[in-house]
Amino acid sequence: MLPCPFFFLHISTYFFLHSPHCISTFTLSLLADTSGCGGFPLNVGSFTVHILQLAPQLSFSRPSLPKMSDLETPLRPKRKTAVVDFLVQFRWIVVIFVVLPISFTIYFLTYLGDVRSEMKSYKRRQKEHDENVQKVVKRLKERNPSKDGLVCTARKPWIAVGMRNVDYKRARHFEVDLSAFRNVLEIDRERMIAKVEPLVNMGQITRVTVPLNLALAVVAEFDDLTVGGLINGYGIEGSSHIYGLFSDTVVAYEIVLADGRVVRATKDNEYSDLFYAIPWSQGTLGLLVSAEIKLIPIKEYMRLTYKPVVGNLQDIAQAYSDSFAPRDGDQDNPEKVPDFVETMIYTPTEAVCMTGRYASKEEAKKKGNVINEVGWWFKPWFYQHAQKALKKGEFVEYIPTREYYHRHTRSIYWEGKLILPFADQWWFRFFLGWMMPPKISLLKATQGEAIRNYYHDMHVIQDMLVPLYKVGNALEWVHHEMEVYPIWLCPHRMYKSPIKTMIYTEPGFEHHHRQGDTHYSQMYTDVGVYYAPGPVLRGEVFDGSEAVRRMESWLIENHGFQPQYAVSELDEKNFWRMFDAGHYEYCRRKYGAVGTFMSVYYKSKKGRKTEKEVQEAEQAILETPSAEVDEPVDY
């Protein structure tokens, strides 16, 4: 008989105790104080309901980590349990009864708004767009620089999809409302261009384009990711090894500058310098009000091949490279390079490489072919479905194209397993899966300061952009320092630009003729690290902030980059060691952004920004001799 204070705790874990996928650390600790499972010693009060690594916990056999003498991880002392551990452990109650219903309601209302917008003619949408742009211009001209704070959007701090909390809005600021800019303005089938406003999200654009057998060249996985965020910040997808990052597919930007001028920037007009400076600038050069983005022809299905890989992390890295980068250097040959690529690493010795090619409806429905409609709410989560290749071997199936684009939305990759530990079970998927996923913005809004700080220290959501030939080293570093699994690998081209922008290729890369590189682009990879680290799952001491600092140092030393949607520990000096400031600061001065918009470092910096701190930083830039920020030479 359990003591009364623990009765609720015991009952609340009942629904997932009987699944081989989830084990309650608390219940097992009552049975054996010093027992362990899957190589992880049990610890009363561990912050998460399940203690096994996400990858091995999906096995029906007793899981265990492989022995890897060449990848020893440091021994860490046990961590003391705090009240916040229990708040996090049972946060699923708030998510199920508050966050999910509200999320579903918001999704539905947003969908109705999108449908209403699509019923309007393109001519009417463009007219409304022009009127809204003039409202923004008028608002900017109302600002008194001597009295009002720096300009930022009126969007609430917690609404952003990124994990970095928007602390810069806590300082005094001058708000400009861009909430009306969420329409698809035009689909130009002759020029193969989609003209869209910045708050159009990926779910909205694919609803419009896919029925036309068209799509953006790069479609980010999550429905909620917006065009503005993917341009001003960072966006990638499985087609990025062909087309580059999301911002590389943009043909033109419509920008409202600090003085109220509305300009159209392309790579070959008078605002070409601004065109190259916009990506990664976090909206600190002007206000983006529309973008013209490249479209490509597509087919109804994705023919997806799942190929299991077993070996050490270097072996996995090589198999991943071979899945899309011919060793003979013929990187532009569509016969040798698939349309889509991604790899998921489940343990230090197991991974599944996936390659996709567009396929017609006729091909997909041929006798003997398997069609998997992964978009249904009751279907297994995609990363778990892909993992089956480790047991059944290589297999092929056809997935409806739009459902493939958004394959990771419902489970938020595998983060959904931490948020709702039993949400991957068949009974939850069948009865409540239609409400998934919870909106990330609502998760942030309901977590509170204590839980937010806890996640910063005990949880990792980072992307490491590294050259393809260094992926194996990056994986070994992540295993040693963080032990986070699964890991997501997605390649992307980094183009050799005529101007040295904030992110740039390694000097002289084209002379080495490495796998995946061409004379005009260097192949990079996004090493996606999203989950609770192994030490945290084992109840050991883990300093998340220090781990991120070491990761950032590793990236700087290896010519890598850290997308700034995530929590960053970079100080200003190291920020500009990772990124190049020359062209960005040149455009800040030329287009009057200094003193009007916050600089990208202070917008990305962790922690609260005081008005004095921001003003002093802006003044320091103004006082810098012009020669120090002249237009950088071509490289």
Side-chain angles (χ1 to χ4, degrees):
M1 182 76 178
L2 288 173
C4 289
F6 301 121
F7 180 72
F8 173 74
L9 182 59
H10 178 72
I11 293 299
S12 62
T13 58
Y14 172 82
F15 293 103
F16 48 91
L17 271 172
H18 296 87
S19 167
H21 305 326
C22 298
I23 299 178
S24 164
T25 56
F26 177 79
T27 304
L28 287 177
S29 296
L30 291 177
L31 298 176
D33 293 338
T34 59
S35 66
C37 189
F40 299 152
L42 303 179
N43 180 33
V44 177
S46 178
F47 85 100
T48 183
V49 181
H50 59 297
I51 66 168
L52 301 180
Q53 283 282 18
L54 185 58
Q57 79 177 19
L58 298 177
S59 172
F60 286 92
S61 60
R62 184 178 177 86
S64 61
L65 281 177
K67 295 180 179 179
M68 299 188 66
S69 58
D70 57 332
L71 288 177
E72 293 293 336
T73 55
L75 296 175
R76 295 177 172 91
K78 292 295 182 181
R79 185 176 61 86
K80 293 183 178 180
T81 302
V83 174
V84 69
D85 291 295
F86 294 99
L87 295 177
V88 173
Q89 181 177 356
F90 292 101
R91 192 178 171 216
W92 61 266
I93 298 173
V94 175
V95 174
I96 285 182
F97 294 107
V98 178
V99 176
L100 278 182
I102 296 177
S103 296
F104 179 79
T105 302
I106 293 175
Y107 285 133
F108 182 69
L109 293 177
T110 302
Y111 169 75
L112 292 180
D114 295 342
V115 171
R116 181 183 177 187
S117 171
E118 291 165 14
M119 293 173 64
K120 301 176 184 177
S121 67
Y122 286 138
K123 183 177 181 180
R124 181 179 175 186
R125 292 183 222 176
Q126 183 62 51
K127 180 181 177 182
E128 292 178 354
H129 170 78
D130 294 338
E131 293 172 352
N132 289 328
V133 169
Q134 290 307 308
K135 292 178 183 178
V136 171
V137 171
K138 180 181 177 182
R139 175 64 176 161
L140 279 176
K141 291 183 176 180
E142 292 173 352
R143 176 176 174 265
N144 184 338
S146 62
K147 295 181 179 180
D148 297 318
L150 297 177
V151 173
C152 67
T153 65
R155 188 170 63 169
K156 297 300 180 183
W158 47 269
I159 291 181
V161 173
M163 300 313 296
R164 171 178 56 85
N165 211 53
V166 191
D167 287 318
Y168 64 86
K169 291 190 176 181
R170 298 177 188 268
R172 183 167 62 95
H173 57 273
F174 184 83
E175 291 187 347
V176 177
D177 187 4
L178 299 181
S179 61
F181 291 88
R182 53 169 301 107
N183 296 301
V184 176
L185 298 177
E186 183 181 11
I187 301 296
D188 190 331
R189 303 182 72 168
E190 292 185 5
R191 295 173 57 219
M192 291 297 283
I193 295 295
K195 185 177 181 182
V196 298
E197 293 180 321
L199 292 183
V200 169
N201 64 36
M202 294 298 98
Q204 182 181 356
I205 189 67
T206 56
R207 269 199 308 272
V208 174
T209 60
V210 170
L212 303 174
N213 278 353
L214 299 174
L216 299 183
V218 175
V219 181
E221 291 90 349
F222 289 168
D223 290 27
D224 266 1
L225 295 175
T226 64
V227 167
L230 296 169
I231 289 173
N232 285 313
Y234 165 74
I236 192 173
E237 169 54 307
S239 60
S240 289
H241 65 295
I242 299 174
Y243 301 105
L245 297 177
F246 187 89
S247 55
D248 293 319
T249 68
V250 177
V251 175
Y253 302 108
E254 184 182 13
I255 304 289
V256 181
L257 299 176
D259 60 3
R261 283 183 296 158
V262 182
V263 302
R264 181 176 180 268
T266 69
K267 64 174 59 178
D268 52 10
N269 71 359
E270 60 183 306
Y271 299 104
S272 61
D273 52 358
L274 182 62
F275 177 86
Y276 286 106
I278 290 296
W280 292 73
S281 67
Q282 301 285 342
T284 59
L285 295 171
L287 297 174
L288 177 69
V289 290
S290 76
E292 297 169 42
I293 309 171
K294 180 179 179 179
L295 289 169
I296 61 170
I298 64 169
K299 297 179 182 180
E300 295 90 348
Y301 285 85
M302 186 67 63
R303 182 185 188 274
L304 197 63
T305 301
Y306 303 79
K307 184 176 181 179
V309 179
V310 177
N312 61 38
L313 291 172
Q314 292 289 349
D315 295 332
I316 290 173
Q318 186 59 58
Y320 155 74
S321 299
D322 292 342
S323 70
F324 68 93
R327 294 198 183 191
D328 61 6
D330 198 7
Q331 193 63 44
D332 291 323
N333 187 341
E335 297 297 321
K336 297 181 180 180
V337 179
D339 296 323
F340 274 78
V341 177
E342 71 176 330
T343 288
M344 287 183 280
I345 304 175
Y346 294 92
T347 74
T349 59
E350 296 177 313
V352 176
C353 296
M354 284 152 283
T355 54
R357 291 184 180 274
Y358 287 112
S360 66
K361 180 169 56 177
E362 291 73 23
E363 177 186 342
K365 294 189 175 182
K366 285 182 179 178
K367 185 177 181 180
N369 289 341
V370 177
I371 294 178
N372 183 9
E373 297 181 340
V374 299
W376 286 103
W377 74 87
F378 52 81
K379 287 278 190 172
W381 288 355
F382 182 77
Y383 81 94
Q384 293 177 340
H385 171 68
Q387 192 181 14
K388 294 176 182 177
L390 293 173
K391 290 186 177 181
K392 66 186 292 187
E394 181 175 333
F395 66 96
V396 176
E397 64 184 13
Y398 291 79
I399 300 176
T401 297
R402 186 170 185 269
E403 295 181 22
Y404 175 78
Y405 286 154
H406 304 298
R407 63 200 178 279
H408 292 300
T409 292
R410 195 155 40 92
S411 60
I412 317 179
Y413 283 96
W414 29 88
E415 283 290 311
K417 187 68 177 175
L418 280 180
I419 299 166
L420 291 169
F422 42 82
D424 61 337
Q425 300 300 298
W426 70 267
W427 54 268
F428 184 93
R429 296 198 315 267
F430 187 83
F431 292 107
L432 295 175
W434 52 273
M435 288 200 294
M436 291 288 283
K439 286 188 73 70
I440 294 176
S441 56
L442 286 177
L443 290 172
K444 291 167 64 177
T446 57
Q447 67 186 7
E449 193 75 14
I451 294 179
R452 179 165 74 110
N453 293 335
Y454 186 93
Y455 281 140
H456 287 178
D457 290 333
M458 301 294 174
H459 189 234
V460 178
I461 296 185
Q462 295 285 344
D463 288 89
M464 303 169 64
L465 308 191
V466 299
L468 177 61
Y469 72 96
K470 294 184 178 181
V471 168
N473 296 337
L475 293 176
E476 291 181 341
W477 187 93
V478 171
H479 177 81
H480 183 270
E481 297 291 337
M482 296 177 176
E483 291 184 79
V484 172
Y485 293 97
I487 295 174
W488 186 63
L489 299 182
C490 183
H492 71 89
R493 271 181 166 157
M494 188 177 292
Y495 291 98
K496 187 177 179 181
S497 169
I499 296 174
K500 191 176 183 181
T501 55
M502 281 184 64
I503 65 169
Y504 53 97
T505 57
E506 290 181 300
F509 76 89
E510 64 272 25
H511 303 304
H512 295 281
H513 305 289
R514 297 188 182 98
Q515 187 175 5
D517 293 351
T518 64
H519 68 278
Y520 60 87
S521 66
Q522 183 177 12
M523 194 64 72
Y524 265 65
T525 284
D526 181 341
V527 180
V529 187
Y530 326 122
Y531 206 61
V536 174
L537 295 176
R538 294 193 295 267
E540 298 171 357
V541 170
F542 181 81
D543 188 337
S545 297
E546 181 57 31
V548 170
R549 275 189 285 271
R550 290 195 297 270
M551 182 199 76
E552 291 164 343
S553 296
W554 190 93
L555 287 173
I556 291 171
E557 293 167 2
N558 289 276
H559 201 82
F561 303 96
Q562 175 194 34
Q564 291 303 298
Y565 79 88
V567 177
S568 172
E569 300 290 340
L570 290 168
D571 58 25
E572 189 165 10
K573 178 181 178 180
N574 283 323
F575 184 89
W576 293 120
R577 284 180 64 204
M578 181 180 290
F579 303 100
D580 190 84
H583 184 66
Y584 168 75
E585 291 295 355
Y586 167 82
C587 287
R588 289 257 298 161
R589 284 175 174 274
K590 179 178 178 179
Y591 294 105
V594 179
T596 301
F597 299 102
M598 185 180 294
S599 76
V600 66
Y601 167 70
Y602 279 89
K603 194 168 183 179
S604 304
K605 179 186 174 186
K606 180 182 177 181
R608 300 190 179 189
K609 288 81 173 171
T610 65
E611 182 180 345
K612 181 180 179 181
E613 180 183 38
V614 173
Q615 288 179 342
E616 288 176 350
E618 292 292 285
Q619 188 61 34
I621 295 173
L622 289 171
E623 293 173 355
T624 303
S626 298
E628 294 185 18
V629 290
D630 277 349
E631 169 69 5
V633 298
D634 295 348
Y635 82 113

